[in-house]
Amino acid sequence: MHLRRSPEDIAANRARYEEHQKKGLNFAPKALPGFSDFPEIPVDEARVIHREVIPGGWYWSTKVKREEVLRVSLTHGFSSVALIAWASGDTSERMNLPDTVKMQWTTGLSKGRVIFSDMGRVMFSITEDSSGAHDCLVGGSNAATNARYQGHELRDTRDNFVKLAMKIGLDRRDIPAALTLFAPVRVDAEGRFFWNSALLNGADYVELRAEMDMVVGLSNCPHPLDPNPAYAPNPVTITRIAATTVAADDLCRTASAEAIRGFENNAAAEL
């Protein structure tokens, strides 16, 4: 039986939520850093472990070690890149975007923010980012959203991730919600999603520092809200960069009480 909550209960719950949110936001820095320098600074080739170019419509997976960095670059023109991840040691632990949003009180994932797993640990720190134009709400494409490209059988992110998961011994039920990089999705005053192209700079890039050993999957397919009527994803460059020492006062590790607790959970799991 469904019980309808009273206006008083709703108001009390809202007040508790707003008080909890206020405490979380008061801890955070007054302002996170601005966007990273543009265009991107070349990587020291001595630190490059591997470089991969993902063709439009295709996918790729890689293993990364703790404190290594993945740079995702739009060096060949615009594309949106969907990303998922699992912990290498136990793939039942996976990226969790709802918790990532809830714990940091924002859907705006950019430089200084972190990405959480479903076990309260930090999987990625966003250490560089030229645009902040990333989508953690809508998700990647599927066969239905590709139907607008009439007359073609084209690859989509859902099918790409199913293939990717099966190749590494997982199943479709193991696929988490995807973060789509370079997808400038925002929400208007009426709660509707819209595509804000003004947030993009062209040859944008983002750097994600791994905070645990992981298996990472990427899919290079058009986002469902991309207004381009043509299916035209460009190749995307992924550079895996060797780890360096991370400072104790690193911004991503100290930006919020939730991030601090997440890194404490990371440390506890290593004991």
Side-chain angles (χ1 to χ4, degrees):
M1 186 174 88
H2 176 69
L3 297 176
R4 180 173 295 178
R5 291 181 298 171
S6 69
E8 292 78 12
D9 286 340
I10 294 173
N13 288 338
R14 168 60 66 179
R16 284 193 292 271
Y17 170 83
E18 290 178 347
E19 179 62 23
H20 186 48
Q21 180 188 43
K22 181 179 178 181
K23 290 179 180 178
L25 293 175
N26 283 344
F27 181 92
K30 295 298 182 182
L32 288 172
F35 299 134
S36 300
D37 292 339
F38 186 86
E40 63 184 279
I41 299 172
V43 179
D44 178 0
E45 290 298 316
R47 295 183 58 216
V48 174
I49 298 171
H50 179 77
R51 184 174 282 114
E52 187 79 15
V53 177
I54 307 175
W58 287 81
Y59 63 93
W60 181 64
S61 66
T62 186
K63 291 184 177 180
V64 294
K65 295 291 187 180
R66 180 173 176 262
E67 295 183 355
E68 290 179 351
V69 171
L70 287 179
R71 178 185 284 191
V72 185
S73 307
L74 301 186
T75 52
H76 300 273
F78 175 72
S79 273
S80 294
V81 185
L83 178 146
I84 54 178
W86 300 268
S88 293
D90 179 1
T91 53
S92 67
E93 182 175 8
R94 61 202 67 170
M95 191 172 77
N96 188 306
L97 290 183
D99 282 356
T100 296
V101 170
K102 178 177 64 179
M103 291 182 192
Q104 295 174 108
W105 307 101
T106 182
T107 59
L109 299 184
S110 188
K111 186 175 180 179
R113 298 295 185 187
V114 298
I115 300 171
F116 285 90
S117 79
D118 55 3
M119 296 185 183
R121 299 201 295 159
V122 179
M123 300 192 86
F124 292 105
S125 292
I126 305 175
T127 55
E128 300 291 347
D129 177 29
S130 65
S131 71
H134 314 302
D135 169 41
C136 57
L137 298 173
V138 175
S141 61
N142 55 38
T145 63
N146 269 6
R148 61 190 171 126
Y149 308 111
Q150 297 181 4
H152 301 279
E153 291 185 6
L154 301 166
R155 291 177 174 271
D156 64 80
T157 286
R158 178 62 182 173
D159 288 343
N160 277 352
F161 282 156
V162 170
K163 294 182 179 77
L164 185 154
M166 290 181 175
K167 285 182 178 180
I168 61 175
L170 301 175
D171 202 338
R172 64 180 66 233
R173 66 184 177 183
D174 299 309
I175 301 170
L179 169 66
T180 309
L181 305 172
F182 317 118
V185 174
R186 294 297 181 262
V187 182
D188 67 18
E190 302 300 321
R192 295 169 298 200
F193 297 126
F194 71 99
W195 185 270
N196 186 359
S197 298
L199 300 177
L200 300 168
N201 299 303
D204 279 308
Y205 68 102
V206 64
E207 288 190 359
L208 304 171
R209 184 178 64 217
E211 301 295 355
M212 63 175 72
D213 293 355
M214 287 182 288
V215 180
V216 180
L218 301 110
S219 172
N220 180 13
C221 292
H223 188 275
L225 297 185
D226 187 338
N228 188 347
Y231 184 98
N234 288 297
V236 173
T237 302
I238 314 296
T239 306
R240 182 179 168 196
I241 305 169
T244 57
T245 302
V246 179
D249 61 350
D250 177 80
L251 174 63
C252 293
R253 296 188 175 186
T254 58
S256 69
E258 289 77 11
I260 290 173
R261 283 194 290 270
F263 281 106
E264 288 173 348
N265 291 339
N266 284 38
E270 295 170 3
L271 296 178

